[in-house]
Amino acid sequence: MADERNSADRRRTAILDAAELSFVRRGFHRTTMQNVATEAGMSPGNLYRYFPSKEAIVEGLTERERAKYMADFEALEHAPPSIALLEEIARGYLLHEPRAKKIMDLEIWAESTRNPALTTLCQSVQREVDNHLVRYLERLRDSGLAAPDVDPRRVLDMVSLMVDGLALRVATDPECDTEARLAMVLMVFRAALAGGIRSCLSEKVSA
């Protein structure tokens, strides 16, 4: 039973890896289940045993990313408060992951605008990520590593917009100087934590 489960898990992983390659090369709507099956080295009939549709594959990719994020944040929450550690996570996401991963993220974001189930899933993942980050920023503040009156939620909202924008730039511009732009994002992040950026964080942002 355990061997069968492990074999099924390996097949699902192989399919998701193949789908990532196919979506990056062709885009979501130009990719067919046949393309994914060929990339995964299996028949379409076998593929449908694991994922009944492309939408199910995208949901599987999103859930896999969610599991990765949660593992990262669980480790973060057991580590001593550290601004540098949080910045290293940002570097891992923006500098160390391949550009193809950002293109894949862009495909998922685009599809989530048309797929209500995926919209709900993406929003759920984003809320989980945001809540983990806010708690860690609160730990930084409570440990004296940030200004005592800093609002972690506002800081996160501001920095997230910049990180998302940079991820989009990485996906769409192969010549993007990610390291230089990330340095600017981190400079703003540190300034916000230190209480040096207050005017744009003092009022509630309209929904």
Side-chain angles (χ1 to χ4, degrees):
M1 184 67 69
D3 288 343
E4 290 181 6
R5 185 164 53 250
N6 290 337
S7 177
D9 288 343
R10 286 194 296 270
R11 283 295 182 91
R12 286 178 60 86
T13 296
I15 292 169
L16 294 177
D17 290 343
E20 280 194 350
L21 289 173
S22 296
F23 292 158
V24 168
R25 290 172 181 167
R26 302 177 181 87
F28 177 80
H29 287 285
R30 291 179 60 193
T31 295
T32 65
M33 293 293 274
Q34 176 68 63
N35 294 143
V36 177
T38 300
E39 195 76 53
M42 63 176 60
S43 68
N46 199 20
L47 172 63
Y48 279 103
R49 290 177 54 200
Y50 296 92
F51 295 96
S53 65
K54 285 195 299 181
E55 289 76 12
I57 291 175
V58 173
E59 290 174 8
L61 288 167
T62 304
E63 285 286 5
R64 183 163 74 168
E65 285 303 298
R66 175 187 174 279
K68 177 182 177 297
Y69 289 142
M70 293 309 106
D72 289 343
F73 288 128
E74 183 177 349
L76 187 66
E77 290 186 353
H78 287 88
S82 167
I83 296 174
L85 184 57
L86 202 55
E87 291 178 341
E88 189 55 34
I89 289 178
R91 290 190 181 91
Y93 172 63
L94 289 164
L95 289 178
H96 304 322
E97 285 188 349
R99 177 171 171 260
K101 179 63 177 59
K102 297 295 168 290
I103 297 174
M104 183 67 249
D105 290 343
L106 183 56
E107 288 289 334
I108 290 177
W109 290 345
E111 183 58 21
S112 71
T113 67
R114 298 179 286 266
N115 182 331
L118 186 57
T119 299
T120 299
L121 178 58
C122 288
Q123 289 175 339
S124 174
V125 172
Q126 189 62 61
R127 279 193 295 271
E128 282 190 88
V129 169
D130 287 351
N131 288 337
H132 278 284
L133 287 172
V134 165
R135 286 197 294 271
Y136 197 76
L137 292 174
E138 289 172 345
R139 288 180 63 197
L140 293 178
R141 181 193 60 195
D142 297 344
S143 299
L145 297 174
D149 59 345
V150 74
D151 186 332
R153 179 69 64 175
R154 299 282 169 75
V155 171
L156 177 62
D157 285 346
M158 180 182 67
V159 176
S160 292
L161 290 173
M162 292 188 289
V163 169
D164 288 346
L166 182 51
L168 176 61
R169 177 65 68 89
V170 171
T172 57
D173 180 6
E175 303 300 323
C176 176
D177 187 347
T178 310
E179 190 163 359
R181 286 176 168 83
L182 178 58
M184 289 188 285
V185 172
L186 295 180
M187 179 175 62
V188 172
F189 171 59
R190 283 182 173 265
L193 281 183
I197 302 177
R198 296 189 182 280
S199 60
C200 63
L201 302 177
S202 59
E203 300 295 333
K204 184 176 180 180
V205 178
S206 299

